[in-house]
Amino acid sequence: MMPGTGSHQSLIIVIMAGGRGTRFWPRSRNARPKQFLAIVGTETLLHQTVRRLDGHVAPERIFVVTTADLAAETRRMLPELPQENVIVEPEGRNTAPCLALALVQIERKFPHGVMAVLSADHWIGDREIFLEDLDTAVKHAAWERELVTFGIKPTYPETGYGYLESEGHGPVQKVKAFREKPPVEVAMQYLESDRHYWNAGMFVWTLEDFREGLHQHAPEILGPLDTWVKAGADPAALSAAYRQLPKVAIDVALLEKAETVAVVPARFRWSDVGSWPAAIEFQETDPEGNVTQGETLLLDTRNCAFFGGKRFIAASGLDDLIVVDDDDALLICHRDRAQTVKQIVERLKAEGREDLL
């Protein structure tokens, strides 16, 4: 990027949109994953992710990576993007293959761009601050030629997130180490530290540096895709190449091995909206602490959440429950047990209930 050039002019956005969000069953299904749901606000999470970039990044520089079974609906939902900007994975194989596939397709069109990787199913507040932080990361990646990630300052001792430890001060800091999902005692220490951040899973790097990093640390991912491109990049041949790739996250494949990684401590509000309790945080409550969507009648009921559908819901004498009504399934669980929704989905899959998945 040349001096004086606005960072958004070289910026290319890659939105990962192949996830399923199984913790939001029964609303989230194979054909209607989390990013297709309006969990926070009236727009889907995918729409919000793209709209957040309006006026900052041209539509032709925004790419969405998703799986073959979701591609048609993704294109239908985002008519403002060129159809070819929806990059199709033959199957999901975690984030490293996803982003490597985006690289080999995008670099042919924008060989000298700066790639920012976002997730389609995160909520981000404070749009203008987010765009400022994004520009900070883009400029650092372009000038310092380092891989950049975003860190979220912990607000509670979360044990389900990976963390990163930084050193230094200022708007961009050096990453000292990546930390695995901690036990609660360690998470408490991270919460009290001024050096530990949640790893938000958002990244910025130049295409050249990303290629060099994969070439050095993950050739088993980049090699088959480069061979596929050299052979003509036939979409019909991608499945065979893709099956050769390991299922691995980009953090493990590249970032934890790279010599220099920087972190931008995020100033914007962020949530991965990972489960029904997380979605509840964005809803207004009645005087008894209840959240209601749809038509309900509640008697002597406290701290419950009712996500209604077409049916009227009446409840009496309940505490701390989550109820989610869909056309063909009803979820009832204790608020403290919401993480087990994923196990319900796994059980349904094991029992062959594809009609409910």
Side-chain angles (χ1 to χ4, degrees):
M1 185 169 57
M2 298 300 293
T5 301
S7 61
H8 63 280
Q9 292 179 309
S10 64
L11 180 56
I12 297 155
I13 300 293
V14 174
I15 299 171
M16 297 184 292
R20 300 295 165 169
T22 53
R23 290 182 179 87
F24 280 97
W25 186 89
R27 290 287 171 82
S28 180
R29 305 292 181 98
N30 285 338
R32 191 181 64 204
K34 173 185 166 188
Q35 62 268 23
F36 289 178
L37 301 178
I39 294 173
V40 181
T42 58
E43 284 192 313
T44 69
L45 290 170
L46 176 59
H47 277 118
Q48 290 181 41
T49 303
V50 175
R51 303 282 186 269
R52 198 172 292 127
L53 302 162
D54 282 353
H56 198 75
V57 184
E60 61 267 20
R61 301 180 75 91
I62 299 175
F63 294 80
V64 179
V65 187
T66 192
T67 49
D69 57 329
L70 301 177
E73 180 62 11
T74 299
R75 290 188 176 108
R76 188 196 68 78
M77 292 177 66
L78 300 173
E80 65 269 36
L81 301 188
Q83 295 286 289
E84 63 272 17
N85 280 27
V86 175
I87 297 173
V88 182
E89 291 185 281
E91 58 180 294
R93 299 190 73 81
N94 214 318
T95 55
C98 163
L99 295 177
L101 177 61
L103 170 70
V104 300
Q105 298 210 34
I106 292 171
E107 64 184 353
R108 293 183 290 169
K109 187 174 183 181
F110 301 107
H112 303 297
V114 179
M115 176 195 293
V117 178
L118 308 176
S119 292
D121 58 359
H122 291 177
W123 174 86
I124 290 174
D126 314 301
R127 175 181 182 269
E128 293 304 320
I129 297 176
F130 163 74
L131 294 176
E132 290 174 7
D133 283 356
L134 178 61
D135 279 350
T136 296
V138 170
K139 290 172 183 174
H140 186 88
W143 284 103
E144 303 299 330
R145 305 305 295 264
E146 292 184 336
L147 309 180
V148 184
T149 185
F150 288 88
I152 308 296
K153 192 61 183 171
T155 54
Y156 61 94
E158 173 62 63
T159 59
Y161 296 158
Y163 287 70
L164 54 86
E165 182 180 353
S166 74
E167 56 186 21
H169 299 278
V172 185
Q173 302 170 16
K174 177 180 173 59
V175 173
K176 181 178 180 180
F178 288 86
R179 305 298 185 188
E180 297 298 322
K181 298 176 182 178
V184 66
E185 299 83 6
V186 176
M188 283 295 296
Q189 296 174 18
Y190 291 170
L191 179 64
E192 296 166 2
S193 163
D194 62 354
R195 295 286 183 220
H196 290 83
Y197 299 90
W198 290 335
N199 183 357
M202 299 184 290
F203 314 103
V204 177
W205 39 56
T206 68
L207 292 176
E208 295 100 319
D209 290 336
F210 186 37
R211 166 167 284 281
E212 176 57 31
L214 290 175
H215 177 72
Q216 182 177 352
H217 299 294
E220 69 281 4
I221 296 173
L222 187 59
L225 292 175
D226 277 344
T227 300
W228 170 71
V229 169
K230 290 175 183 176
D234 180 2
L238 181 58
S239 292
Y242 225 66
R243 281 194 294 269
Q244 302 177 48
L245 309 184
K247 295 182 178 181
V248 60
I250 194 64
D251 307 69
V252 175
L254 175 58
L255 292 166
E256 294 178 5
K257 299 175 182 177
E259 293 181 4
T260 56
V261 179
V263 57
V264 172
R267 298 175 300 140
F268 52 85
R269 292 171 296 155
W270 172 91
S271 173
D272 73 341
V273 201
S275 61
W276 283 115
I280 292 170
E281 297 297 320
F282 293 93
Q283 312 298 325
E284 292 186 5
T285 60
D286 68 13
E288 300 298 326
N290 299 303
V291 168
T292 59
Q293 289 185 0
E295 193 176 6
T296 59
L297 189 157
L298 308 182
L299 300 176
D300 192 27
T301 293
R302 301 172 186 84
N303 301 319
C304 291
F306 299 89
F307 294 91
K310 298 176 181 178
R311 290 180 286 195
F312 175 84
I313 296 177
S316 178
L318 302 181
D319 293 282
D320 301 311
L321 293 184
I322 296 174
V323 177
V324 185
D325 189 24
D326 207 54
D327 290 347
D328 59 350
L330 175 68
L331 170 69
I332 305 171
C333 71
H334 195 277
R335 287 179 71 146
D336 292 342
R337 298 285 291 169
Q339 294 296 333
T340 63
V341 172
K342 186 175 182 179
Q343 298 174 26
I344 293 174
V345 173
E346 292 170 352
R347 185 78 165 267
L348 290 171
K349 186 175 182 179
E351 295 179 0
R353 292 302 307 270
E354 296 297 325
D355 58 311
L356 295 174
L357 296 175

